[in-house]
Amino acid sequence: MKLQPLTIPNNQSIANPADTPRVCCLYRVSTKRQSEEADIPMQRIECHEFCKAQKWQIVAEFSENGVSRFKVSANKRDDILEIKQMAQDKAFDKLLVFKFDRLGRIESETPFVVEWFINHGIEVWSKVEGQQRIETHADKLVNYIRFWQAASESINTSVRVKTRCKQLAASRQFTGGTQPIGYKLVDTGLVNSK
């Protein structure tokens, strides 16, 4: 989903608009629940403040809501494809995310997405982690390790969630979704978020 870019009134904070780096921001959450809990607005505010401090101008913003980037390849993500086209058209100079794992969590793919942007003249930045470079072998290793770690976090989160759902089901607590056939909901006095 494309967001309306922020416009800076009368270019007050920009001394020379022609020399101002142009930024494309990407915000992402994995679940619809996260998008409902104001995670996208938090990322957007942080990126806007970062751009203002750097005197960068946001020219485009994209928001991906509720689709796991651990499971969905970048070549199936419309926003990434559109951002890549904009990069080829030289429509911006820097790609900014709140954290690098917002680009994706597939360790065999996401480091190469970052490298693709850098090889096309786009600096890739995270508000939290700074600029990702690939100038040296060590830079490339850090780039790979970063997304390997992000993939590991996704796996660990999945294990924790599945384990907790099994525990809740074993204790006959409702875990959400539709009521199973042959069961009825009974008020036990226990209340969870579902």
Side-chain angles (χ1 to χ4, degrees), residues 30-78:
S30 299
T31 66
K32 291 190 186 294
R33 183 176 174 188
Q34 286 176 309
S35 63
E36 293 167 3
E37 292 174 352
D39 203 40
I40 292 286
M42 177 278 297
Q43 292 177 43
R44 188 172 194 242
I45 289 166
E46 290 294 313
C47 288
H48 278 252
E49 289 176 0
F50 185 74
C51 287
K52 185 176 180 181
Q54 301 296 324
K55 295 185 173 39
W56 296 347
Q57 183 176 18
I58 297 172
V59 296
E61 297 177 283
F62 293 83
S63 175
E64 296 181 308
N65 297 321
V67 179
S68 171
R69 297 311 170 232
F70 178 63
K71 298 176 182 175
V72 180
S73 175
N75 62 9
K76 293 183 179 178
R77 294 168 56 191
D78 292 339

Side-chain angles (χ1 to χ4, degrees), residues 142-159:
V142 167
N143 186 31
Y144 182 79
I145 289 172
R146 173 175 282 128
F147 294 105
W148 171 80
Q149 180 183 13
S152 295
E153 288 175 17
S154 289
I155 292 167
N156 291 336
T157 299
S158 176
V159 168

Side-chain angles (χ1 to χ4, degrees), residues 17-152:
D19 293 337
T20 302
R22 300 163 302 157
V23 178
C24 176
C25 293
L26 173 64
Y27 317 116
R28 181 186 72 79
V29 291
S30 299
T31 66
K32 291 190 186 294
R33 183 176 174 188
Q34 286 176 309
S35 63
E36 293 167 3
E37 292 174 352
D39 203 40
I40 292 286
M42 177 278 297
Q43 292 177 43
R44 188 172 194 242
I45 289 166
E46 290 294 313
C47 288
H48 278 252
E49 289 176 0
F50 185 74
C51 287
K52 185 176 180 181
Q54 301 296 324
K55 295 185 173 39
W56 296 347
Q57 183 176 18
I58 297 172
V59 296
E61 297 177 283
F62 293 83
S63 175
E64 296 181 308
N65 297 321
V67 179
S68 171
R69 297 311 170 232
F70 178 63
K71 298 176 182 175
V72 180
S73 175
N75 62 9
K76 293 183 179 178
R77 294 168 56 191
D78 292 339
D79 289 341
I80 289 289
L81 296 174
E82 188 172 345
I83 294 169
K84 281 185 169 185
Q85 184 59 55
M86 289 176 64
Q88 289 175 324
D89 295 341
K90 309 268 187 238
F92 65 99
D93 309 299
K94 300 175 189 295
L95 176 60
L96 176 65
V97 292
F98 176 66
K99 289 189 71 179
F100 282 120
D101 69 354
R102 303 300 81 198
L103 285 169
R105 290 187 169 192
I106 302 174
E107 78 270 10
S108 61
E109 176 189 68
T110 311
F112 303 105
V113 171
V114 172
E115 193 168 335
W116 184 94
F117 281 107
I118 293 171
N119 288 337
H120 283 79
I122 304 297
E123 291 181 8
V124 181
W125 284 79
S126 156
K127 188 274 180 188
V128 174
E129 297 132 329
Q131 183 179 5
Q132 178 61 57
R133 300 178 184 275
I134 58 165
E135 296 164 0
T136 67
H137 184 68
D139 291 338
K140 290 180 181 182
L141 181 60
V142 167
N143 186 31
Y144 182 79
I145 289 172
R146 173 175 282 128
F147 294 105
W148 171 80
Q149 180 183 13
S152 295

